[in-house]
């Protein structure tokens, strides 16, 4: 499974760096990381199906989903830290974070974990199934 997690990490890191460049150069919002996350999740699921010629089993899905969630959130927290650090309002951002307290911040992190897990669950269940059926259709048309 580590091969597929490394593939996801590579694709997501490249997309995060490209999106980060656009965010920094054009003053866009960090919300643009969401399409990069979705694309990386779906590309990783398709890569698994392409190389294994099957859907991941239940035993394989667990490390793929949770490993991808951990990798994605680690990259996003680093990216967010760098964005805050490079911002001219860094002190004000830190004061606002401290003012909101642990409760709302913990809720946001828990919601983020849930959304990431849901996205990877959709990728490795629904999109992987779609990729497999599309692949089977292409092979059938070739014959």
């Amino acid at each position: 499974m580590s091969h597929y997690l490394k593939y996801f990490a590579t694709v997501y890191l490249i997309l995060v760096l490209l999106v980060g460049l656009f965010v920094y150069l054009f003053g866009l919002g960090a919300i643009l990381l969401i399409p990069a996350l979705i694309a990386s999740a779906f590309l990783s699921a398709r890569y698994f199906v392409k190389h294994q010629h099957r859907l991941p089993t239940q035993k394989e899905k667990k490390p793929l989903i949770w490993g991808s969630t951990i990798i994605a959130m680690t990259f996003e927290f680093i990216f967010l830290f760098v964005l805050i650090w490079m911002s001219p309002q860094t002190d004000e951002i830190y004061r606002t974070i401290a003012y909101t307290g642990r409760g709302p911040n913990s809720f946001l992190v828990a919601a983020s974990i849930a959304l990431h897990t849901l996205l990877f669950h959709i990728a490795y269940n629904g999109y992987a199934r779609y990729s497999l059926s599309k692949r089977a259709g292409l092979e059938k048309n070739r014959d």
Side-chain angles (χ1 to χ4, degrees), residues 45-87:
R46 187 175 72 182
Y47 182 75
F48 181 91
V49 169
K50 182 179 177 182
H51 283 271
Q52 294 291 324
H53 305 289
R54 62 178 175 81
L55 295 174
T57 64
Q58 289 297 333
K59 193 173 184 178
E60 292 170 330
K61 282 181 193 174
K62 190 178 281 189
L64 287 171
I65 290 171
W66 286 106
S68 298
T69 299
I70 291 168
I71 291 168
M73 291 194 66
T74 301
F75 286 165
E76 290 162 9
F77 283 135
I78 292 170
F79 181 73
L80 204 58
F81 177 76
V82 170
L83 276 181
I84 291 171
W85 182 62
M86 293 175 65
S87 173

Side-chain angles (χ1 to χ4, degrees), residues 18 22 50 55 68 71 84 86 97 99 122-123 127 137 140:
L18 287 174
F22 287 130
K50 182 179 177 182
L55 295 174
S68 298
I71 291 168
I84 291 171
M86 293 175 65
I97 291 172
Y99 178 74
I122 291 169
Y127 189 73
K140 186 177 181 182

Side-chain angles (χ1 to χ4, degrees), residues 15-30:
L15 289 176
V16 164
L17 291 176
L18 287 174
V19 168
L21 187 65
F22 287 130
V23 166
Y24 182 72
L25 291 177
F26 299 118
L28 303 172

Side-chain angles (χ1 to χ4, degrees), residues 78-131:
I78 292 170
F79 181 73
L80 204 58
F81 177 76
V82 170
L83 276 181
I84 291 171
W85 182 62
M86 293 175 65
S87 173
Q89 295 97 4
T90 301
D91 292 335
E92 185 177 326
I93 292 170
Y94 284 138
R95 269 188 250 121
T96 303
I97 291 172
Y99 178 74
T100 57
R102 289 185 189 153
N105 291 336
S106 298
F107 176 76
L108 290 175
V109 171
S112 179
I113 291 169
L115 289 174
H116 281 78
T117 305
L118 176 66
L119 174 68
F120 291 117
H121 184 72
I122 291 169
Y124 283 107
N125 281 319
Y127 189 73
R129 189 170 289 117
Y130 169 77
S131 295

